[in-house]
Amino acid sequence: MARILVIDDEQYIRTALREVLEREGFRVSTARDGRKGLELLEEEGADLVITDVIMPGIDGVATLERIKAEHPDLPVIVISGGGTVSPVDYEPGAISTSAYLASAAKAGAACTLTKPFNRKELLNAVSNLLEA
């Protein structure tokens, strides 16, 4: 079965995604940030990556850009919460997560999903990308 790498700074998101994907038979590795995710990708490989966009350190867009530079054919799903955020690692002011997802799409994300998404949306995206 396919190997999926999940990168998200929120433990409960990593756990929920792992449980949903493992129930479908996927092998899942998780990382708490972009740096660790890139390390795991090099160590273990993956058939698909799911990454959050707003994370401390290396954010999801930078993680995506690095993945695409080294693994241009690897499908990446970028996820983010809806509304606006003002993370500490970014410039002051509210930033629309839709702007982050648009940046991710331009950087090569195969798919973007806005949290909260349901199990069916996730599994449809995963299966479509793995079948392509």
Side-chain angles (χ1 to χ4, degrees):
M1 188 49 85
R3 178 182 222 51
I4 299 175
L5 172 60
V6 174
I7 308 169
D8 198 301
D9 59 326
E10 297 182 59
Q11 176 65 43
Y12 74 95
I13 297 289
R14 291 193 310 270
T15 300
L17 291 176
R18 175 191 288 272
E19 289 174 359
V20 166
L21 295 166
E22 285 181 342
R23 268 189 244 130
E24 296 298 315
F26 297 107
R27 294 181 309 164
V28 181
S29 297
T30 64
R32 68 183 175 279
D33 58 40
R35 181 192 57 76
K36 183 64 176 169
L38 292 168
E39 288 174 8
L40 274 176
L41 180 59
E42 292 311 309
E43 292 169 9
E44 301 178 2
D47 299 303
L48 181 130
V49 174
I50 301 171
T51 184
D52 189 19
V53 73
I54 309 247
M55 297 182 290
I58 302 173
D59 70 19
V61 174
T63 300
L64 169 66
E65 289 170 342
R66 290 172 77 178
I67 290 170
K68 292 313 241 175
E70 303 213 4
H71 309 277
D73 297 328
L74 181 62
V76 179
I77 297 173
V78 177
I79 61 175
S80 185
T84 58
V85 295
S86 183
V88 175
D89 291 348
Y90 298 101
E91 293 152 41
I95 301 165
S96 166
T97 55
S98 63
Y100 284 116
L101 291 176
S103 294
K106 288 180 186 175
C111 175
T112 60
L113 296 174
T114 301
K115 297 177 194 172
F117 46 84
N118 64 42
R119 178 182 177 280
K120 184 177 179 181
E121 290 173 297
L122 173 67
L123 294 176
N124 282 342
V126 167
S127 66
N128 288 340
L129 291 171
L130 290 173
E131 290 172 8

